[in-house]
Amino acid sequence: MSDPLSATAAGDRPAILTRDRVVPFSAAGHVEVARALVAHPAVASILEIYAALDANRPIAPLHPRLAPAELERQQTIVDAATFTDDEALVIFTSGSTGAARGIVHTRTSILAAARASEHHLTWQPDDRWLLCLPLAHSGGLSIVVRCLT
């Protein structure tokens, strides 16, 4: 059975639909992956996330509106971290009670969340998700993962 978090295995299925183009999952196979990604609301950022999941490389999507000092602090944390084989995503908290902390999510947990959503929402093959949440937040990332699975 193929990896449900593999963009390569998803092939030429449509991954992203914009006003003027359709981008297949296979496009992620040609993308370089950084461990800490400033996750702009752009096709390129989504493809980097898919490429990281495909390569089983942990990635931390960072909010593009972070102050430069906070962005550097979060990048330093991610660059210094060591990860296990199952760890996939680092999502930073809002920092409402202090400095933002990186929360590690495993491939197993994000897949389980996508499967639970699929079960409760009874997806159909032609369903589409509107991504209007930041990619640096769990809500935005969950849409990206749901589309892949």
Side-chain angles (χ1 to χ4, degrees), residues 15-16 37 39-42 45-47 49-50 53 59 61-64 89-92 105 110 113-114 117 123 129-149:
I16 303 164
L37 157 71
H40 294 280
S45 292
I46 296 170
L47 290 176
I49 293 166
Y50 284 144
L53 289 170
I59 189 170
L62 305 179
H63 202 290
L89 297 168
V90 178
I91 303 173
F92 279 83
H105 297 269
I110 62 174
S117 178
W123 300 343
W129 291 91
L130 174 62
L131 178 55
C132 55
L133 299 168
L135 291 168
H137 293 209
S138 59
L141 276 172
S142 66
I143 291 171
V144 170
V145 172
R146 286 180 203 148
C147 290
L148 179 57
T149 60

Side-chain angles (χ1 to χ4, degrees), residues 66-79:
L66 289 174
E70 179 61 14
L71 182 63
E72 183 178 344
R73 186 186 77 81
Q74 290 183 13
Q75 287 174 321
T76 300
I77 290 169
V78 173
D79 289 343

Side-chain angles (χ1 to χ4, degrees), residues 20 51 54 57 112 132:
D20 56 352
D54 192 56
R57 292 192 56 207
C132 55

Side-chain angles (χ1 to χ4, degrees), residues 10-56:
D12 288 332
R13 260 183 37 222
I16 303 164
L17 305 172
T18 70
R19 184 175 334 158
D20 56 352
R21 66 182 173 148
V22 176
V23 181
F25 284 103
S26 59
H30 308 288
V31 174
E32 281 294 314
V33 180
R35 183 178 265 191
L37 157 71
V38 178
H40 294 280
V43 169
S45 292
I46 296 170
L47 290 176
E48 282 188 67
I49 293 166
Y50 284 144
L53 289 170
D54 192 56
N56 200 18

